[in-house]
Amino acid sequence: MSNRAALLRSQLAQRILIIDGAMGTMIQSCKLTEADFRGTRFADFAHDLKGNNDLLSLTQPHIIREIHNRYLAAGADILETNSFNATAISMADYHMEHLVPELNFAAARLAREAADEATAQNPDKPRFVAGVLGPTSRTATLSPDVNDPGFRNVTFEQLRAAYLEAIDGLVKGGVDILIVETIFDTLNAKAALFAIEEYFEAHSLRLPVMVSGTITDASGRTLSGQTGEAFWNSVRHARPLSIGFNCALGPDLLRQYVEELSNKADVLISAYPNAGLPNAAPDCSTSSAAAAAPRRPTSPRSPRRSKGFRHASRQRWNRRCACPGWSLSTSVATASSSTSASAPTSPAPRRLRG
């Protein structure tokens, strides 16, 4: 076990660790334009880029760093990298598959630098970085065509390869944890976990792995139809550091499913909404060169970006999943129905139960 992994487990044995809030909702508050997303490097790129939040790690890194700093100041112990859609499958929507290694490395470095700076300021409160592996914009279990239930637009091998490429960039960028999150299809998650194990074996290393699914409606099931207990039994072979749920349902509705996991799983339990900091928009100033870049005319949307299950933009995903604040006890997640508007510096925290 590495020194960082041992330190993480030591901290978890002593207290609840707080995960930062969502990246997408904070980015949305900046109301960035097409030119802002392009920056100078991609000013003449042939396709629309607005909504490609992962690209901001390259074109507006100061905004991503500022968001990390805001969460750290609010008390976050774990920063998630800005890499939710940084896989070749999701980046295909923007014709930027070639940037996947660079996007993941840059996202990891931004979070690493922010976490290390905060730790240096307060060594008694070490900060950690979780490399995010999102669900991709396709589903291996379900057909995107209601007229052809047997059709699949992605294979397990394609998912495995896409995740493996992203993992390499995150690890080289210096993450402490890998987190497979917002899982709506457990087969996608299994591909990610397979790629993680493959990478660990090939490079003779091992990092803690967190797993977080999403309950899509009041049925208490994931989109691919699993209950919380079935979800746990499907991924427990990966020996994760934690398992939990995030997104989709508000805390009042999600509480019972977190409690179910707490009663079934023999690992740590996590629960967090995809909400940002109330009344605390980041510094959204962009470079003068980016602001002066000519705005390209909008081209027709690709049909791929509007088909079922495609959420190429984390921005759109987070609008759907914004949730009120949470508080956790040592036994089970307990939800608060609203976040007080009178506390501008209070986060809508996402906490990992130790």
Side-chain angles (χ1 to χ4, degrees):
M1 183 185 299
S2 69
N3 292 337
R4 295 292 299 175
L7 178 60
L8 173 65
R9 293 182 183 277
S10 173
Q11 291 291 306
L12 284 166
Q14 300 173 47
R15 61 189 179 92
I16 292 172
L17 296 188
I18 303 175
I19 310 174
D20 63 358
M23 179 64 68
T25 49
M26 295 292 279
I27 290 173
Q28 286 176 52
S29 67
C30 289
K31 303 186 186 304
L32 299 177
T33 66
E34 176 74 21
D36 296 330
F37 278 90
R38 289 175 176 274
T40 55
R41 178 177 172 182
F42 302 102
D44 296 322
F45 195 73
H47 303 280
D48 293 342
L49 297 178
K50 185 177 180 179
N52 188 351
N53 290 348
D54 306 70
L55 183 63
L56 296 175
S57 295
L58 301 180
T59 59
Q60 304 293 345
H62 59 287
I63 292 180
I64 304 304
R65 178 64 184 270
E66 169 70 8
I67 292 172
H68 287 321
N69 289 340
R70 290 295 182 97
Y71 282 126
L72 289 167
D77 298 292
I78 301 174
L79 290 180
E80 289 189 277
T81 57
N82 180 40
S83 56
F84 188 81
N85 280 311
T87 58
I89 292 171
S90 293
M91 279 295 123
D93 292 322
Y94 297 100
H95 306 271
M96 287 189 152
E97 302 96 315
H98 62 289
L99 290 177
V100 167
E102 185 179 3
L103 288 171
N104 283 280
F105 180 83
R109 290 311 304 166
L110 286 170
R112 178 79 272 155
E113 290 167 4
D116 288 348
E117 183 177 300
T119 300
Q121 293 174 357
N122 184 5
D124 293 332
K125 185 178 173 64
R127 313 300 178 99
F128 303 92
V129 175
V132 171
L133 298 168
T136 81
S137 51
R138 298 192 179 189
T139 169
T141 297
L142 304 174
S143 171
D145 185 352
V146 294
N147 296 313
D148 186 1
F151 174 69
R152 299 291 183 272
N153 61 2
V154 71
T155 66
F156 186 94
E157 175 56 27
Q158 288 171 328
L159 287 164
R160 182 203 66 83
Y163 280 123
L164 195 61
E165 183 181 33
I167 292 163
D168 186 59
L170 292 171
V171 173
K172 288 178 178 177
V175 300
D176 303 305
I177 307 162
L178 290 173
I179 177 169
V180 184
E181 74 161 9
T182 318
I183 299 164
F184 59 83
D185 184 338
T186 308
L187 190 54
N188 286 38
K190 284 189 171 186
L193 294 171
F194 186 93
I196 289 172
E197 188 62 29
E198 182 180 358
Y199 188 89
F200 287 169
E201 290 186 2
H203 293 82
S204 300
L205 63 84
R206 186 163 297 276
L207 300 178
V209 176
M210 295 172 62
V211 175
S212 183
T214 181
I215 298 294
T216 56
D217 55 38
S219 70
R221 296 173 180 268
T222 64
L223 186 64
S224 55
Q226 287 192 312
T227 63
E229 183 177 2
F231 173 58
W232 160 241
N233 285 323
S234 295
V235 299
R236 63 186 304 172
H237 65 279
R239 305 182 303 280
L241 172 73
S242 71
I243 188 169
F245 290 120
N246 70 287
C247 199
L249 301 181
D252 290 330
L253 294 176
L254 193 57
R255 183 183 190 277
Q256 61 182 308
Y257 308 119
V258 175
E259 184 174 10
E260 177 187 357
L261 276 181
S262 182
N263 292 331
K264 300 294 182 181
D266 56 358
V267 296
L268 302 175
I269 302 298
S270 69
Y272 54 93
N274 279 18
L277 292 168
N279 305 321
D283 178 3
C284 302
S285 58
T286 57
S287 66
S288 58
R295 185 168 181 174
R296 299 180 60 86
T298 303
S299 60
R301 290 175 63 87
S302 165
R304 295 177 65 193
R305 292 173 66 177
S306 60
K307 289 180 70 173
F309 306 120
R310 299 196 65 78
H311 50 277
S313 145
R314 187 176 182 181
Q315 179 182 34
R316 174 153 53 96
W317 180 263
N318 279 318
R319 276 203 301 269
R320 174 172 171 248
C321 299
C323 304
W326 289 70
S327 63
L328 264 71
S329 68
T330 56
S331 58
V332 68
T334 306
S336 63
S337 59
S338 63
T339 301
S340 172
S342 63
T345 60
S346 174
R350 313 194 305 166
R351 304 188 177 187
L352 177 62
R353 180 168 66 82

